[in-house]
Amino acid sequence: SKATVSVLYWKTYNMAPTVAVTAADLFVEDIENLSLNPRVLQHATWRTTKEAKEEKKHWKRNKPQLGKARKGDWSDAKHTTLGTKGALFEAQRCLKCADAPCQKSCPTSIDIKSFISCIANHNNYGAAKMILSDNPVGLSCGMICPVSNLCVGGCNLAATEAGAINISGLQEYAVSHFKKMNIPATRDPALPPRDEMPASFATKIYMVGSGPASISCATFLARLGYSNIEIIEKEPYAGGLSSTEIPQYRLTSDAVQWEIKLLKDLGVKVTTNCEFGKDLTVEDVKKQKAVLFIGCGLPKPNIDDAFKGLSISNGFYTSKDFLPQSAEASKPGLCACKNGVKPTAPKVHGKVLVLGAGDTAFDCTGSAFRNGAKRVVVCFRRSTADMRAVEEETILARYEKAEFLPYCQPKEVVLEDGRIKAVVMWKMEQDDDGKWYRDDDQLLTIKCDFVVSAFGSVLGSALEEEISKVADLKWGKVTVNTDMCTKTDGVFAGGDCVGSGLTVEAANDGKTASWSIHRYIQHMHNEEVSPVPKLPLLHTAVDDVDISVEMAGIKFPNPFGLASAPPATTLPMIARAFEAGWGFAVTKTFSLDKDTVTNVSPRIVRGSTSGPNLGPHQGSFLNIELISEKSAAYWCSGIRQLKQDYPAHVVIASIMCGHIKEDWQTLAKMAIEAGSDALELNLSCPHGMGEKGMGLACGQKPNLVQDISEWVKEVCDIPFFAKMTPNITDITEIAGAARAGGATGVTAINTVSGLQHIKMDAAAWPRVGPQKLTTYGGCSGNAVRPIALRMVSSIANKFPGFHVMATGGIDSADTVMQFLYVGAPVMQISAAIQNQDFTIVQDWILGLKWQLYALGRSDLATWEKQVPAAPADVAHVLHTGARPRFGPYLDERHKITQEECEKKHEAGEIGELPAYPDYVQGKIPSVNDLVGKALGTIGSFGDLLGMAPHNQAVAMVNDDLCINCGKCMMTCNDTGYQAIRFSADRHQPFITDSCTGCTLCVSVCPVPDCITMVPRDAASRPSAPVYEPSRGIPYGQEQLPVGSKVKLAI
């Protein structure tokens, strides 16, 4: 109606209506805007089955991309690959178990729970360091490890309906981000300079083959300080079978070449086009008195008698022909090594038979599709249950619709005009004892165009002959003992050639051999080395960053300390924390003997702010625990011992008394005489102690806080801090009183008084005794972080130079940075340790070092949470019209991708390896440099009002990232400004000019960087570059009369 149009126009542009309207017209809404908004169900939904079948096709997302449509498409096809959202979700599911079975199931013994904990805390550098410290080919293993039979097979969550953690996906995610950081590996500065190392460390060490075994062995030896290591590789490029035989869609060439780059960073020489037994012989090694590590693969194929005499010209490939040709024609960086000659991919078409059921056979299967096959049939001797291939390989083959033909053994080949036309197979049977046999009476003829044989591989006669000069061979494999030593002194072996067929097993062989080689060389130079291995960790410039901090004349090794809370319950706990890497500790609060306490139970419970999340990563805890039950004598005795055993660590004594001068001065003197570095005056315990005239009873009154500070100041010659309660209107009033009384600083904040759980039987939790009584307890953890940040910043802004120790919701290096920026140089932690254990500090140490290092590099300084900043076109340009990833639009995407890939495949276009450009290392700031850096941006709301209406922002959606969930539209409609249209057929949101920049849509969007806030200007909003608020009824107009009820758009 004219009235409706007029009111909508009026609401938008603040112009008076042209016809008479009523208040009812104010309820008219844009029906199109709300057409897909959720509605309350009033009756059962009716739709025919035929309609449902048709409609589901439109929304289908999990339609498989058939192998026959994969020609030339060597992009990542693994089902384990994770993006940022998936990685964080998966990492936070991990329980970080004690004595974690996943780690015991990893051949290289990676500290899996710790690296996953780092990922959960946005510390990809820390995660990568932990991975690569134990496994130098950790990126390759993250991509191709058969984790279902290794770490994932031992995951405790497999015992729950939630299922095991995607460990390989997390490993790939973390190391891939470290690769993007472009941080070189470095020698540990604890080693003497190269020219000052003992002569033994210049011993020549040769590695045969440049695969995982040699990379791993050479890496650990280089970390130990050996400087004359040379890897020889017969191919024109390094990487071994990782480069030549594992397809690009599983293991990218840039991953392998980057691992080799880290190796070269340490001074290891890699010589290609150098063949063992030809260009370097055993005799050459002996003449040079060098050490030899044989880490080669098995380069020759096993060929069934039925195929002897056949070649590629007949349509017959072995895996040793097929996979290297496929790799050279698809992996960037390999073809360049062929002197500019463009490699040719295997020319297959039609129906391809792949013989074998191991991992190699399934690599051939996927590669056959990508080289042009329309059908691929995997033929093998035994049943599908007996296939040797790992689950990760067979899943993809089934997804791409490869066909499986079990119980077949080749008998003979049918040729026509010199080409394979068919293969005749014997049928295999199994007797009651489980033995397999050939049934000559059952034959099967299978027509095909090509055959790829993947029946295993061997060393080959030439390589066997050379190796046999220094090592025994059995069943075609090199014989070694548990230390990877052969029968000849100074000759070691590992990897495929000794029977370790997995990349991760080969890496561990090299790792094991490195310590054996180290011991052997040192023994030859009359130096003894412990049989217990102590292999160095990965080291980079990040690890050299100094994170010590000074506050109030005290130097802290790092800003991380135990709060006066459950983690500091006993002296041995504090000692264990120092051993783990914590920089300081505040003792559990103790009092004079006359103020003894006894706790009730239960008393520490998980909060109610984490929803159904069980296990670690609780958002909050609630406790009704009192101060320490131990005596002042216990704590003062222990402080002396701690300072003797850990002189570089800071020990702060937490003390509490009533408003009694003599008590405070007596207890303060005891703590000072014990050797405390500082005191913390607990004036803020929110439960229990207040009833005794202590804790909160003192801390809420400025005059009492000032009194106590003055009393302690009279007898104190060391820094002391008053611990602030957040349970007050203005914390700066209390902080000001402590400052006026002479306190060195304050600790902000103690726990927030609250009530977390009321059960369905009306009983609280925790509840004590048969009466099921409870009280208001102290809430801690991430839920109180916003309060802590506000109060720390308020104190720091109001009292410049007044020291603040922060506590409250600190759970990662990322949150540590936040507290540094608002004015706190050191932080006390409790809830995060309650969620995990003392070792989490290593995650934070590495994370904070990375943050400081990144601030000294312009290319990393814009990274947020150790993830690259969104590209400019995502952050500043509106993307519209991109095809969704479901139904017909997904088919269109696949079709376009297929056409592009086929075109590149036919043209032989491969692409280039990513570059690792030189970077400028600027000044790395200290921790103290960052303290208070954000305070100048925190002010009153009045400071912001002056920016309206010209400094406005609007939301922008990147359709290509959008998963079409509509969360943005729903929150905008029901809690915002109805500024988002939602397409009925494509489910793509479009933000209209009505957007007020409230940012709700960004807040609820589940996809990182999908919705971003950009300046409101002529570029982002050409039709409405200036924000004009809708006033409903323009200022100065009369109220409207009531009209008839409007039918709402629901």
Side-chain angles (χ1 to χ4, degrees):
S1 70
K2 289 182 179 179
T4 299
V5 172
S6 179
V7 169
L8 287 175
Y9 191 82
W10 183 16
K11 287 170 67 178
T12 305
Y13 297 105
N14 301 314
M15 296 178 68
T18 55
V19 296
V21 295
T22 67
D25 292 304
L26 298 175
F27 289 78
V28 176
E29 294 184 293
D30 187 337
I31 294 176
E32 182 181 350
N33 228 21
L34 297 166
S35 61
L36 297 178
N37 218 45
R39 290 169 169 75
V40 176
L41 191 67
Q42 301 293 338
H43 48 73
T45 303
W46 185 93
R47 185 176 55 159
T48 66
T49 303
K50 182 178 180 181
E51 290 172 329
K53 285 182 175 180
E54 282 301 310
E55 189 168 7
K56 76 173 184 180
K57 295 177 185 177
H58 183 82
W59 305 107
K60 191 172 181 61
R61 287 185 181 271
N62 61 347
K63 184 178 180 180
Q65 190 173 3
L66 302 181
K68 65 182 181 181
R70 289 277 196 177
K71 185 176 180 180
D73 183 4
W74 297 90
S75 61
D76 184 4
K78 304 186 303 297
H79 66 283
T80 55
T81 302
L82 295 170
T84 298
K85 177 181 170 60
L88 291 173
F89 177 82
E90 197 70 2
Q92 290 182 354
R93 275 206 315 127
C94 176
L95 300 179
K96 292 86 180 177
C97 306
D99 199 28
C102 56
Q103 182 174 348
K104 295 175 179 294
S105 303
C106 172
T108 55
S109 304
I110 291 172
D111 189 351
I112 294 171
K113 72 168 186 178
S114 294
F115 92 66
I116 293 179
S117 181
C118 286
I119 295 172
N121 286 331
H122 307 281
N123 183 9
N124 294 324
Y125 172 79
K129 179 179 169 70
M130 291 176 184
I131 293 163
L132 295 169
S133 289
D134 269 310
N135 184 352
V137 291
L139 181 52
S140 292
C141 288
M143 292 180 170
I144 61 173
C145 241
V147 291
S148 59
N149 197 36
L150 297 171
C151 52
V152 169
C155 178
N156 285 331
L157 276 174
T160 72
E161 66 277 13
I165 296 296
N166 178 4
I167 297 173
S168 61
L170 290 170
Q171 182 166 324
E172 179 188 354
Y173 172 82
V175 185
S176 292
H177 276 78
F178 175 57
K179 179 167 74 76
K180 293 176 185 176
M181 292 173 189
N182 189 22
I183 300 174
T186 58
R187 289 177 83 248
D188 190 332
L191 290 171
R194 280 194 173 91
D195 56 359
E196 296 178 17
M197 292 288 289
S200 58
F201 286 87
T203 301
K204 183 68 177 182
I205 306 171
Y206 281 109
M207 309 265 166
V208 178
S210 62
S214 292
I215 291 173
S216 178
C217 186
T219 297
F220 283 109
L221 288 169
R223 289 178 188 171
L224 283 164
Y226 288 91
S227 58
N228 197 4
I229 306 168
E230 183 175 357
I231 296 175
I232 64 165
E233 169 59 57
K234 71 172 184 177
E235 297 294 340
Y237 41 81
L241 299 187
S242 297
S243 289
T244 59
E245 295 193 18
I246 301 178
Q248 175 78 357
Y249 63 85
R250 291 185 61 222
L251 176 58
T252 60
S253 59
D254 68 291
V256 178
Q257 299 309 311
W258 173 76
E259 288 167 342
I260 293 167
K261 174 185 173 295
L262 287 185
L263 180 73
K264 291 179 178 179
D265 289 341
L266 298 175
V268 176
K269 182 180 179 182
V270 180
T271 302
T272 55
N273 294 305
C274 184
E275 186 173 351
F276 185 60
K278 181 180 176 183
D279 302 300
L280 178 75
T281 65
V282 167
E283 288 304 312
D284 296 331
V285 174
K286 288 180 178 178
K287 287 177 183 176
Q288 297 179 49
K289 297 182 179 180
V291 172
L292 180 66
F293 175 76
I294 303 169
C296 58
L298 303 173
K300 299 298 181 182
N302 260 332
I303 302 177
D304 190 278
D305 290 341
F307 302 99
K308 292 288 176 65
L310 296 179
S311 67
I312 294 174
S313 62
N314 305 114
F316 175 74
Y317 289 88
T318 69
S319 61
K320 298 296 180 180
D321 305 317
F322 192 72
L323 291 176
Q325 283 188 31
S326 299
E328 290 179 3
S330 61
K331 290 193 170 189
L334 304 193
C335 64
C337 301
K338 292 289 189 179
N339 299 318
V341 178
K342 189 172 288 189
T344 304
K347 301 291 186 181
V348 298
H349 57 265
K351 184 177 179 182
V352 176
L353 293 191
V354 175
L355 307 178
D359 295 343
T360 302
F362 283 95
D363 284 340
C364 292
T365 300
S367 296
F369 277 133
R370 287 158 179 79
N371 283 314
K374 296 302 180 185
R375 289 180 64 192
V376 180
V377 182
V378 186
C379 304
F380 43 96
R381 296 183 176 98
R382 299 184 179 181
S383 68
T384 52
D386 294 307
M387 290 190 300
R388 290 185 296 107
V390 297
E391 179 182 309
E392 287 79 1
E393 291 267 25
T394 59
I395 285 175
L396 180 60
R398 293 180 189 278
Y399 180 79
E400 295 185 344
K401 304 303 180 185
E403 302 167 46
F404 289 43
L405 190 60
Y407 312 115
C408 291
Q409 180 173 327
K411 177 179 183 293
E412 60 187 7
V413 178
V414 179
L415 297 175
E416 186 176 283
D417 298 329
R419 299 284 303 178
I420 292 175
K421 181 182 180 182
V423 179
V424 180
M425 302 280 191
W426 280 300
K427 184 78 179 338
M428 298 295 292
E429 294 288 356
Q430 190 176 26
D431 63 23
D432 292 342
D433 294 327
K435 294 181 180 178
W436 291 89
Y437 65 92
R438 191 179 76 198
D439 186 349
D440 293 346
D441 295 331
Q442 298 187 71
L443 296 177
L444 177 66
T445 300
I446 308 170
K447 291 182 178 181
C448 62
D449 299 293
F450 295 88
V451 172
V452 181
S453 171
F455 281 148
S457 51
V458 295
L459 283 168
S461 56
L463 196 52
E464 280 191 14
E465 183 181 346
E466 191 68 20
I467 292 174
S468 64
K469 296 175 183 177
V470 289
D472 290 330
L473 286 92
K474 185 177 182 180
W475 305 109
K477 304 289 195 304
V478 180
T479 302
V480 293
N481 65 14
T482 55
D483 294 325
M484 314 314 295
C485 304
T486 67
K487 69 178 183 180
T488 304
D489 287 346
V491 179
F492 306 81
D496 246 357
C497 67
V498 304
S500 298
L502 299 178
T503 297
V504 67
E505 291 175 343
N508 198 55
D509 285 355
K511 180 180 181 180
T512 304
S514 68
W515 192 254
S516 300
I517 292 171
H518 175 52
R519 291 190 69 203
Y520 170 77
I521 292 174
Q522 295 307 311
H523 177 73
M524 295 302 293
H525 287 78
N526 300 314
E527 296 287 342
E528 291 303 317
V529 175
S530 168
V532 179
K534 295 181 180 178
L535 292 169
L537 307 177
L538 169 73
H539 192 277
T540 75
V542 174
D543 303 309
D544 299 328
V545 174
D546 180 12
I547 58 169
S548 64
V549 59
E550 290 191 13
M551 183 186 72
I554 302 172
K555 183 164 185 178
F556 295 76
N558 60 56
F560 312 120
L562 306 186
S564 177
T569 295
T570 68
L571 293 163
M573 291 169 71
I574 294 175
R576 284 193 288 112
F578 286 166
E579 292 287 347
W582 293 86
F584 73 99
V586 184
T587 68
K588 187 85 166 160
T589 301
F590 59 93
S591 62
L592 294 172
D593 291 352
K594 70 186 184 72
D595 294 319
T596 58
V597 300
T598 301
N599 278 305
V600 298
S601 63
R603 61 180 177 273
I604 305 174
V605 300
R606 74 185 188 97
S608 57
T609 59
S610 300
N613 180 34
L614 302 175
H617 298 285
Q618 292 301 309
S620 63
F621 290 90
L622 178 137
N623 82 85
I624 52 173
E625 183 163 280
L626 301 174
I627 63 173
S628 177
E629 295 176 325
K630 293 180 167 46
S631 66
Y634 169 88
W635 284 109
C636 290
S637 301
I639 289 169
R640 287 190 186 91
Q641 188 68 44
L642 286 170
K643 288 305 299 180
Q644 174 186 291
D645 296 345
Y646 304 95
H649 291 71
V650 175
V651 179
I652 300 173
S654 176
I655 59 176
M656 179 187 287
C657 301
H659 189 245
I660 303 170
K661 179 177 182 178
E662 183 183 354
D663 289 357
W664 278 107
Q665 293 189 338
T666 300
L667 195 55
K669 288 177 184 177
M670 290 175 62
I672 294 167
E673 289 168 3
S676 302
D677 294 292
L679 302 181
E680 183 175 89
L681 317 183
N682 189 337
L683 306 175
S684 48
C685 184
H687 49 266
M689 304 312 296
E691 287 90 331
K692 302 178 71 172
M694 305 164 74
L696 193 65
C698 298
Q700 288 182 324
K701 298 179 176 64
N703 60 317
L704 300 190
V705 171
Q706 184 168 343
D707 286 347
I708 293 168
S709 298
E710 289 174 349
W711 297 338
V712 173
K713 178 67 175 175
E714 289 176 10
V715 298
C716 188
D717 58 358
I718 61 175
F720 70 95
F721 301 80
K723 191 167 187 179
M724 300 284 97
T725 175
N727 305 299
I728 194 163
T729 304
D730 183 1
I731 197 170
T732 61
E733 231 185 292
I734 306 299
R739 181 169 177 262
T744 312
V746 295
T747 299
I749 55 174
N750 208 323
T751 54
V752 177
S753 183
L755 184 67
Q756 290 266 17
H757 297 276
I758 301 293
K759 303 287 187 177
M760 289 302 99
D761 61 356
W765 180 250
R767 51 180 176 259
V768 180
Q771 295 87 0
K772 301 181 179 180
L773 299 178
T774 194
T775 187
Y776 301 114
C779 298
S780 61
N782 292 359
V784 308
R785 185 190 306 146
I787 301 170
L789 284 167
R790 174 180 177 267
M791 294 190 168
V792 169
S793 61
S794 297
I795 296 168
N797 252 333
K798 188 165 185 177
F799 305 114
F802 191 48
H803 299 293
V804 184
M805 288 195 287
T807 184
I810 300 157
D811 73 338
S812 65
D814 179 62
T815 53
V816 165
M817 291 290 287
Q818 296 177 45
F819 279 94
L820 286 172
Y821 282 145
V822 298
V826 297
M827 295 91 200
Q828 301 176 19
I829 290 91
S830 175
I833 305 172
Q834 291 166 212
N835 262 317
Q836 190 52 43
D837 59 72
F838 286 138
T839 62
I840 59 167
V841 73
Q842 288 301 319
D843 166 14
W844 300 6
I845 288 171
L846 292 172
L848 181 57
K849 286 186 173 190
W850 186 91
Q851 296 281 6
L852 296 177
Y853 172 85
L855 290 173
R857 272 182 54 177
S858 59
D859 58 325
L860 295 179
T862 56
W863 284 39
E864 185 71 21
K865 299 182 186 296
Q866 295 199 20
V867 174
D873 65 329
V874 173
H876 299 295
V877 179
L878 177 65
H879 287 244
T880 57
R883 295 171 182 81
R885 288 176 170 82
F886 58 78
Y889 313 109
L890 183 60
D891 291 340
E892 290 173 18
R893 279 179 174 268
H894 284 168
K895 184 179 178 181
I896 292 169
T897 299
Q898 182 181 349
E899 290 172 353
E900 290 175 350
C901 289
E902 286 188 13
K903 190 181 298 182
K904 289 180 180 179
H905 183 77
E906 296 300 331
E909 296 178 17
I910 300 173
E912 300 294 331
L913 286 173
Y916 298 99
D918 293 336
Y919 56 85
V920 177
Q921 181 66 64
K923 180 181 180 296
I924 297 174
S926 69
V927 174
N928 284 105
D929 289 339
L930 305 184
V931 176
K933 196 172 179 181
L935 291 175
T937 66
I938 304 169
S940 69
F941 192 79
D943 298 331
L944 309 182
L945 286 176
M947 296 183 173
H950 299 294
N951 289 279
Q952 298 289 336
V954 290
M956 287 290 188
V957 179
N958 184 324
D959 284 342
D960 197 48
L961 295 178
C962 180
I963 62 171
N964 319 106
C965 65
K967 295 297 294 181
C968 56
M969 178 267 294
M970 290 187 285
T971 193
C972 187
N973 279 342
D974 286 3
T975 59
Y977 297 85
Q978 302 83 52
I980 300 180
R981 304 262 178 152
F982 197 58
S983 164
D985 58 341
R986 301 167 75 96
H987 275 191
Q988 289 176 319
F990 179 79
I991 298 175
T992 70
D993 289 345
S994 299
C995 176
T996 67
C998 74
T999 323
L1000 268 172
C1001 56
V1002 177
S1003 302
V1004 302
C1005 179
V1007 181
D1009 298 324
C1010 180
I1011 308 179
T1012 51
M1013 300 303 294
V1014 300
R1016 184 173 198 136
D1017 53 27
S1020 63
R1021 289 290 154 199
S1023 58
V1026 178
Y1027 174 53
E1028 294 288 347
S1030 171
R1031 305 299 183 187
I1033 298 175
Y1035 293 139
Q1037 297 290 327
E1038 296 293 327
Q1039 297 182 28
L1040 298 175
V1042 174
S1044 301
K1045 181 179 179 180
V1046 176
K1047 182 176 176 57
L1048 300 177
I1050 58 172

